Amino acid sequence: MIPSAPRVELTPAAAELLRRLRATHGPLMFHQSGGCCDGSAPMCYPEGEFRTGDSDVLLASLAVEGVDEPVTFWMSRSQYEVWSHTRLIVDVVEGRGSGFSLEAPEGVRFLTRSRLVGT
């Protein structure tokens, strides 16, 4: 059975970084826009700091071991239309991205990898 919405998963490195960020910043959320360059990377914010609306889709509420509440993962509706047939895997890579994502001072950045659903 092919799910109607992409499934979002975290690599162990992403989960570990989220635990550290949660300890410092409180409850967290992700938003993945349809921008270019770093604008297409998943951005991590304190929960509720990024205002979502009708142009966004809630893809997942991620359970992270060691984090009391789920980490929500939102995507812009236009980006969702392009990626609706994929499984999203949130990972961490070396290097500093730009923008306002909470991990920027850590010398790493979140990155979304994708895999076609059913592969």
Side-chain angles (χ1 to χ4, degrees):
M1 181 174 143
I2 297 174
S4 60
R7 198 176 93 185
V8 180
E9 8 179 306
L10 299 169
T11 65
E16 176 56 34
L17 180 55
L18 286 171
R19 283 188 283 277
R20 290 195 327 257
L21 293 173
R22 168 58 175 93
T24 302
H25 301 284
L28 304 170
M29 69 180 289
F30 278 108
H31 188 271
Q32 172 105 28
S33 73
C36 72
C37 310
D38 283 337
S40 59
M43 298 291 191
C44 184
Y45 301 100
E47 179 67 41
E49 185 174 296
F50 186 92
R51 309 253 323 186
T52 58
D54 291 340
S55 63
D56 300 295
V57 176
L58 176 61
L59 294 182
S61 292
L62 302 165
V64 180
E65 187 177 331
V67 173
D68 292 337
E69 63 286 315
V71 177
T72 56
F73 191 99
W74 295 84
M75 180 179 278
S76 67
R77 189 170 301 280
S78 61
Q79 187 77 352
Y80 172 74
E81 290 170 10
V82 174
W83 286 20
S84 64
H85 60 286
T86 61
R87 174 177 300 155
L88 305 176
I89 303 143
V90 179
D91 199 0
V92 176
V93 295
E94 294 289 323
R96 185 173 172 185
S98 63
F100 301 103
S101 195
L102 291 174
E103 82 282 2
E106 304 283 325
V108 295
R109 62 187 177 94
F110 287 109
L111 175 78
T112 301
R113 301 178 194 282
S114 63
R115 182 179 308 140
L116 290 175
V117 171
T119 63

